[in-house]
Amino acid sequence: MKKVLFVYPNLHAQIGFNYGISYISGLLKVHGIETKLLNINEQLGYPLDHERIKKDVLTFGPDVIGFSVLSNQHKYALEIGGEIRRYTDSPLVFGGIHPTMDPRGTLSHDVPDCVCMGEGEEAFLEVVEKGDPRGVRNMGYKKEDGIVLEPLRPYTDLSTLPFKDYDIFDFQQMIDAKDGWVGLLAGRGCPFRCTYCLNHKIIQLYRDVGHLPKHYIRRHSVDEVLTEIEYLLTRYQRIKMFIFDDDIFTFDKAWLREFAEKYPSVTKTSFVCNAHVKMFDDEVAHYLKKAGCRIVKFGLESGSDRIRRRVLGRYMSNTDIEKAFAAAHKYDLHTSAFLMIGLPCEEKQDLMDTVRLLAAIRPGRFRWSLFFPYIGTRAYEIAEREKAIDFERWKNLDNFTDETCMDLGEEVNLLVDKVKDSLCAFINGYSGDQEMEGYRAIVEEIESMDGPTWEKEKEGLRTRIGELDQKTGETGCTFYSVKYNRFMGVRSDWKDDSLSA
């Protein structure tokens, strides 16, 4: 029996379920191939420990080693792979987002023998069975005279795939580490072409070899999704919430209507999903509420219409955003807004437009990150053209919540750091509510500080904001405070602390 070892570096980052590995491993097992995973994440008890990795690799004795590589984790994949090369001759295959977006750059390093581009289930199986990437569609590899990138095969038919492999993960440990939240994927693809996202690049890669974009968006049937949910509820304990990680869960109203009819008969467990303001109305909100949705998440990214259109390729107005949030609130759905700061071409006014929009729509929660230009995306090209990327920091960042690799000029850089550090206070202060005058005073103080003063005072300001949060909470006023993690603001009327995001 052949053996495949998967390595998933996910260091100094949030715990995440790797759908790609679960799908591929499920397919390999059906074909009689044994699999194992090294899920390298310090929060799961597996830090970057080369001696431990060596012991696990040699004990398992894999025929092939497959790395799932995110751009922020590429340096760790190279480091781990380089060490593995010292004691095994097993071929190393790099797959995932980073090799798909930059296959030639990935193959320029000595560590990987080949890369798997795009959807990898069938390609990786073929390579393992054949023992050679040459002539295998979706594969890239090195030859003496250069690099060969084989054409991509058609998009995977999801109905042909076996059940995802949860056993390869210590899945109960992941459930408990995430306070009972369990990720699901009902389909693949997105109808939008946002510049910062990988979807437009993947569509172009497939289109270049004749595969039409209309086949990119695919869905498991409602019954397939419900069967998977029943399996998880039967096999694992302490599941409190499902979270659908589909880019847009709500785009197909007929599918959603069937789901709303059937889901409550399978489980009373609430769920979270992603939506888009241009595909959200009272009808969608009704179906979600009927099914048992607790939280609906929207990607806003910026409150600046200029930035959304010119930089992000998100063609929606603030009015569209306000209507979608109003519809969700009408049906008592807890709303979550995603946003990015430190975007290419962002100016002070754009940042403050984001603050003002959030203060106006009053989402149940919001989550912010620092913009990271992923190689291969149009947003990367925009940032590069603007000479706004600090490439040394870009190479060394582990995540996009702690630091930024963008350089937008001294004045904007300073405001980005202030907003990142005190966003809840900014939104409270800009709400216009009389009860928020304390926050308004602190925000005015922050806005007036120069760089050295801000660096000196920021720790003390965090303490003052925390004290004001406690005092405001005692009054019963509705306000935002940092909760669950350092990059999430939650409205004070959310009371269920057992369901942390």
Side-chain angles (χ1 to χ4, degrees):
M1 176 185 288
K2 287 190 174 182
K3 296 182 177 182
V4 170
L5 177 68
F6 292 101
V7 181
Y8 179 36
N10 191 33
L11 291 154
H12 315 301
Q14 288 185 285
I15 298 169
F17 181 73
N18 192 305
Y19 294 102
I21 288 175
S22 66
Y23 273 112
I24 294 172
S25 181
L27 185 62
L28 295 181
K29 285 185 173 181
V30 167
H31 285 79
I33 298 166
E34 184 179 354
T35 66
K36 180 180 174 63
L37 169 65
L38 305 186
N39 195 0
I40 303 175
N41 180 290
E42 67 280 358
Q43 297 178 73
L44 294 173
Y46 203 135
L48 182 55
D49 181 340
H50 288 298
E51 286 302 313
R52 178 177 174 181
I53 294 170
K54 179 178 179 179
K55 180 181 178 182
D56 287 342
V57 171
L58 293 178
T59 298
F60 186 63
D63 297 288
V64 177
I65 300 175
F67 280 75
S68 181
V69 186
L70 298 167
S71 293
N72 301 96
Q73 300 290 319
H74 184 225
K75 58 183 178 293
Y76 294 120
L78 291 174
E79 179 182 341
I80 295 166
E83 288 295 317
I84 289 175
R85 279 211 171 279
R86 297 175 182 269
Y87 50 80
T88 180
D89 294 327
S90 301
L92 305 186
V93 183
F94 277 26
I97 297 303
H98 188 81
T100 296
M101 302 296 273
D102 187 24
R104 293 186 182 275
T106 305
L107 287 168
S108 69
H109 298 277
D110 294 332
V111 174
D113 293 287
C114 56
V115 298
C116 184
M117 304 169 290
E119 298 180 351
E121 290 91 352
E122 296 162 333
F124 193 68
L125 170 64
E126 188 175 343
V127 166
V128 172
E129 291 184 329
K130 184 179 177 182
D132 188 341
R134 288 177 295 183
V136 177
R137 288 179 296 173
N138 291 57
M139 300 303 298
Y141 49 90
K142 308 165 193 173
K143 291 178 65 176
E144 290 184 3
D145 57 348
I147 290 172
V148 176
L149 302 180
E150 300 285 358
L152 300 179
R153 63 190 70 210
Y155 295 111
T156 304
D157 181 351
L158 299 186
S159 67
T160 67
L161 293 176
F163 206 63
K164 289 195 286 287
D165 180 13
Y166 287 93
D167 292 336
I168 197 172
F169 296 85
D170 186 343
F171 199 59
Q172 188 61 58
Q173 181 194 20
M174 293 185 71
I175 293 171
D176 294 338
K178 298 186 73 173
D179 194 22
W181 285 53
V182 172
L184 295 166
L185 201 63
R188 296 182 187 177
C190 177
F192 295 96
R193 306 289 183 267
C194 305
T195 63
Y196 56 88
C197 183
L198 59 95
N199 282 302
H200 70 269
K201 178 61 177 285
I202 291 178
I203 287 171
Q204 187 61 52
L205 290 173
Y206 278 85
R207 178 190 281 148
D208 287 346
V209 291
H211 306 310
L212 298 178
K214 67 179 181 179
H215 301 302
Y216 181 51
I217 302 176
R218 292 143 293 158
R219 265 227 157 119
H220 290 288
S221 69
V222 170
D223 289 341
E224 286 173 338
V225 173
L226 296 179
T227 297
E228 182 174 0
I229 288 170
E230 289 178 315
Y231 169 86
L232 291 169
L233 291 170
T234 301
R235 192 172 184 87
Y236 300 102
Q237 300 176 336
R238 297 181 292 281
I239 295 176
K240 300 176 183 177
M241 182 82 87
F242 288 112
I243 177 167
F244 285 95
D245 286 321
D246 304 62
D247 290 330
I248 301 178
F249 184 72
T250 58
F251 74 87
D252 184 340
K253 284 188 178 180
W255 190 97
L256 190 62
R257 181 169 56 249
E258 180 184 355
F259 179 83
E261 292 290 339
K262 294 181 176 180
Y263 182 85
S265 66
V266 171
T267 179
K268 302 303 179 187
T269 307
S270 296
F271 66 90
V272 183
C273 68
N274 296 313
H276 191 287
V277 300
K278 297 289 282 185
M279 292 182 165
F280 199 89
D281 55 22
D282 279 15
E283 184 181 5
V284 170
H286 167 70
Y287 292 146
L288 290 178
K289 185 66 176 180
K290 180 179 179 179
C293 178
R294 189 79 184 278
I295 303 173
V296 57
K297 304 187 295 184
F298 297 92
L300 307 187
E301 316 313 344
S302 175
S304 165
D305 188 69
R306 181 183 75 90
I307 292 293
R308 284 198 305 266
R309 290 176 180 274
R310 290 180 53 186
V311 177
L312 304 178
R314 293 183 66 81
Y315 301 101
M316 56 192 190
S317 67
N318 283 5
T319 300
D320 294 328
I321 294 168
E322 291 165 359
K323 286 181 177 179
F325 275 78
H329 293 156
K330 176 181 176 181
Y331 285 85
D332 196 29
L333 294 168
H334 186 78
T335 52
S336 179
F338 287 114
L339 58 135
M340 293 186 287
I341 57 178
L343 292 153
C345 308
E346 195 166 45
E347 299 174 358
K348 291 178 67 175
Q349 181 61 45
D350 302 307
L351 276 162
M352 299 316 298
D353 284 345
T354 298
V355 170
R356 293 186 182 93
L357 177 62
L358 288 171
I361 63 175
R362 299 182 184 245
R365 65 183 65 190
F366 50 87
R367 180 170 173 165
W368 64 95
S369 66
L370 294 157
F371 170 76
F372 182 86
Y374 282 100
I375 194 166
T377 63
R378 287 200 291 273
Y380 177 94
E381 295 169 0
I382 293 169
E384 186 178 37
R385 184 183 68 225
E386 295 292 323
K387 296 181 171 53
I389 305 174
D390 181 326
F391 283 100
E392 193 59 36
R393 281 189 282 171
W394 183 87
K395 288 188 294 185
N396 292 315
L397 286 181
D398 292 335
N399 57 56
F400 36 77
T401 55
D402 297 334
E403 298 180 66
T404 179
C405 64
M406 298 293 289
D407 184 0
L408 304 174
E410 184 177 348
E411 189 176 28
V412 177
N413 288 347
L414 178 57
L415 183 57
V416 167
D417 195 58
K418 290 175 178 179
V419 170
K420 179 203 78 169
D421 213 64
S422 312
L423 183 56
C424 290
F426 269 82
I427 292 168
N428 291 334
Y430 274 84
S431 69
D433 295 344
Q434 186 175 355
E435 298 86 352
M436 300 294 113
E437 284 303 313
Y439 292 102
R440 182 64 185 167
I442 289 178
V443 167
E444 288 176 351
E445 185 179 344
I446 291 172
E447 289 179 306
S448 70
M449 289 179 177
D450 60 19
T453 305
W454 165 246
E455 288 300 324
K456 179 183 176 182
E457 300 292 337
K458 69 161 66 172
E459 198 62 45
L461 283 161
R462 288 175 190 150
T463 300
R464 287 171 56 193
I465 291 169
E467 292 170 350
L468 182 56
D469 288 342
Q470 184 173 358
K471 181 179 177 181
T472 305
E474 292 170 355
T475 69
C477 295
T478 301
F479 68 104
Y480 293 99
S481 61
V482 174
K483 199 169 186 178
Y484 306 130
N485 57 54
R486 63 189 179 281
F487 43 87
M488 179 177 288
V490 181
R491 206 170 60 201
S492 56
D493 55 357
W494 173 265
K495 300 298 184 183
D496 194 345
D497 283 331
S498 68
L499 298 176
S500 64

